[in-house]
């Protein structure tokens, strides 16, 4: 564990870099919402309205069924980042994944706020924010570790600098990725069992907002 903490401390500049890249993606995703046409905004509004009504009336899928799909989706991000970190050419892919994750979150929150104002912000706070407060740092830490390992491979194998044994860095990189995967399983449980409950708390206000918009 001491070696892991030391490795993470050494990668602080990379954390800052991927964090800024993620925030740029969030801003870009929010800007995409304002670029939608009126027809696209109407389709989006209809989809969200139907979703809120369904959640309010029928709830969400059974937790055991949805847990594994949520966990698998989140683990795929970690697994893909780990794989990309093993190859020299995977470095741009890691950066693209971090940017896309930011775009997805920015677009989701932007859609909710643009369509339903503070009602949408409230729904975003209970449905998007809680699990992402842990999920995003996990992805960024994994990305920083993958970038660091990839850069080490580039310096050693491509640029021909002093060759160092790759076994220890690879082991530390893999252990860190496994720790992040365990955290993913934990936060997936929260997203499966707790987030739907909070969503049900605020959905009636969204349904009322949908009805009001439909009457206008």
């Amino acid at each position: 564990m001491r070696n892991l903490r030391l490795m993470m401390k050494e990668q602080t500049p990379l954390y800052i870099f991927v964090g800024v890249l993620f925030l740029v993606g969030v801003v870009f995703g929010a800007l995409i919402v304002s670029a939608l046409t009126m027809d696209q905004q109407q389709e989006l509004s209809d989809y969200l309205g139907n979703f809120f009504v369904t959640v309010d009336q029928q709830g969400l899928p059974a937790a055991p069924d949805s847990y594994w799909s949520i966990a698998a989706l989140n683990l795929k991000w970690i697994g893909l980042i780990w794989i990309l970190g093993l190859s020299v050419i995977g470095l741009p892919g890691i950066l693209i994944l971090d940017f896309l994750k930011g775009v997805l979150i920015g677009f989701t929150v932007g859609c909710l706020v643009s369509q339903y104002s503070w009602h949408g912000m409230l729904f975003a706070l209970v449905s998007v924010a809680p699990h992402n407060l842990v999920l995003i740092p996990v992805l960024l830490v994994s990305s920083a570790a993958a970038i660091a390992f990839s850069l080490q491979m580039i310096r050693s194998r491509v640029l021909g600098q002093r060759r160092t044994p790759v076994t220890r860095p690879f082991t530390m990189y893999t252990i860190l990725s496994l720790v992040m995967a365990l955290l993913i399983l934990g936060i997936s449980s929260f997203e499966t069992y707790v987030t739907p409950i909070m969503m049900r708390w605020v959905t009636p206000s969204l349904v009322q907002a949908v009805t009001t918009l439909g009457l206008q």
Side-chain angles (χ1 to χ4, degrees):
M1 292 303 294
R2 181 176 178 275
N3 291 332
L4 279 178
R5 290 195 297 267
L6 180 61
M7 182 181 71
M8 293 176 67
K9 183 177 180 180
E10 293 174 348
Q11 295 171 358
T12 299
L14 291 177
Y15 298 150
I16 297 174
F17 175 73
V18 295
V20 170
L21 182 64
F22 169 77
L23 291 176
V24 171
V26 171
V27 174
F28 186 78
L31 292 176
I32 291 178
V33 177
S34 61
L36 296 177
T37 65
M38 293 299 296
D39 291 339
Q40 290 172 330
Q41 292 182 15
Q42 184 59 49
E43 291 178 2
L44 182 61
S45 178
D46 293 340
Y47 172 80
L48 289 174
N50 292 332
F51 172 76
F52 294 139
V53 171
T54 300
V55 171
D56 185 53
Q57 296 178 351
Q58 303 177 14
L60 294 170
D65 296 332
S66 58
Y67 172 77
W68 290 112
S69 60
I70 292 173
L73 178 61
N74 292 331
L75 287 174
K76 285 178 182 178
W77 282 87
I78 295 293
L80 185 55
I81 290 173
W82 180 78
I83 292 173
L84 291 174
L86 297 177
S87 62
V88 174
I89 60 174
L91 182 57
I94 300 170
L95 303 179
I96 292 173
L97 285 178
D98 292 333
F99 179 78
L100 286 179
K101 188 64 176 180
V103 171
L104 290 173
I105 293 179
F107 183 79
T108 301
V109 176
C111 287
L112 291 170
V113 174
S114 66
Q115 294 292 329
Y116 302 105
S117 186
W118 70 269
H119 293 285
M121 177 59 72
L122 179 61
F123 188 81
L125 287 175
V126 300
S127 64
V128 179
H131 60 275
N132 276 305
L133 289 176
V134 177
L135 180 60
I136 297 306
V138 165
L139 293 177
L140 296 184
V141 168
S142 299
S143 298
I147 292 172
F149 186 79
S150 182
L151 290 175
Q152 185 175 13
M153 295 292 292
I154 291 174
R155 288 192 296 265
S156 176
R157 302 292 186 260
V158 179
L159 300 182
Q161 295 183 4
R162 181 172 59 90
R163 289 179 176 268
T164 56
V166 73
T167 304
R168 183 174 179 275
F170 172 76
T171 301
M172 298 302 298
Y173 170 50
T174 302
I175 291 175
L176 178 64
S177 298
L178 291 175
V179 171
M180 296 299 104
L182 291 176
L183 290 176
I184 287 290
L185 293 177
I187 195 59
S188 296
S189 298
F190 182 91
E191 187 177 355
T192 302
Y193 295 98
V194 180
T195 298
I197 296 175
M198 296 190 296
M199 290 171 63
R200 289 292 298 272
W201 290 344
V202 301
T203 299
S205 66
L206 269 298
V207 173
Q208 184 178 3
V210 170
T211 304
T212 303
L213 291 174
L215 294 176
Q216 292 179 353

